[in-house]
Amino acid sequence: MGKKGFDDFYQEEIYRVEIIRDKQSGVAICEKWTKDDKVHRQDGPAMIDRDKTTGAVVREVWMRDDERHREDGPAVVLRKASTGKVYRSGWYENGVHIEQPKPPKPPGRTR
């Protein structure tokens, strides 16, 4: 096993990506992106967990500077391994849980 318990390391221009693989299946079951020693990713989830058997994504967490944060959707998404269907999500800005924004009403509607 690699450094800090991670099997694979990839050094991007800005990010460091750490990957843990299941020893038997070889599936990358955990992926973590960091920048300046903080969990952080600008353009996607900073933490991704996959089912060790199927490889299906079961958890995604968007982070900015070690805080849950996403401006255009939920920062935490949990999916069923068997279907990939979202069963729970949480909206966060700067580490603070917020209510899911309501979609805007179509123009011309008053009710």
Side-chain angles (χ1 to χ4, degrees), residues 6-21 28 30-34:
F6 289 91
D7 294 317
D8 298 326
F9 282 93
Y10 298 98
Q11 187 73 42
E12 300 276 327
E13 182 178 338
I14 296 174
Y15 299 103
R16 178 178 181 173
V17 183
E18 303 172 18
I19 298 172
I20 297 176
R21 295 186 181 278
C30 180
E31 182 177 320
K32 183 169 90 171
W33 294 64
T34 57

Side-chain angles (χ1 to χ4, degrees), residues 19-110:
I19 298 172
I20 297 176
R21 295 186 181 278
D22 181 72
K23 289 181 181 183
Q24 288 156 347
S25 67
V27 170
I29 56 173
C30 180
E31 182 177 320
K32 183 169 90 171
W33 294 64
T34 57
K35 178 183 175 189
D36 300 326
D37 294 323
K38 293 181 180 178
V39 181
H40 179 95
R41 185 174 176 193
Q42 201 67 28
D43 60 350
M47 294 189 301
I48 303 168
D49 293 332
R50 292 179 181 84
D51 180 82
K52 70 179 182 178
T53 305
T54 66
V57 174
V58 294
R59 184 176 78 121
E60 298 172 301
V61 182
W62 276 254
M63 303 279 288
R64 184 172 73 184
D65 296 325
D66 274 344
E67 293 183 331
R68 293 175 180 167
H69 179 84
R70 186 174 179 194
E71 296 172 1
D72 61 350
V76 178
V77 178
L78 304 178
R79 300 175 186 274
K80 292 185 178 186
S82 59
T83 64
K85 185 173 181 171
V86 175
Y87 69 88
R88 190 171 189 181
S89 61
W91 294 69
Y92 291 82
E93 287 184 0
N94 301 313
V96 177
H97 184 261
I98 62 170
E99 293 296 320
Q100 178 177 348
K102 301 210 185 291
K105 291 182 182 179
R109 294 202 124 168
T110 57

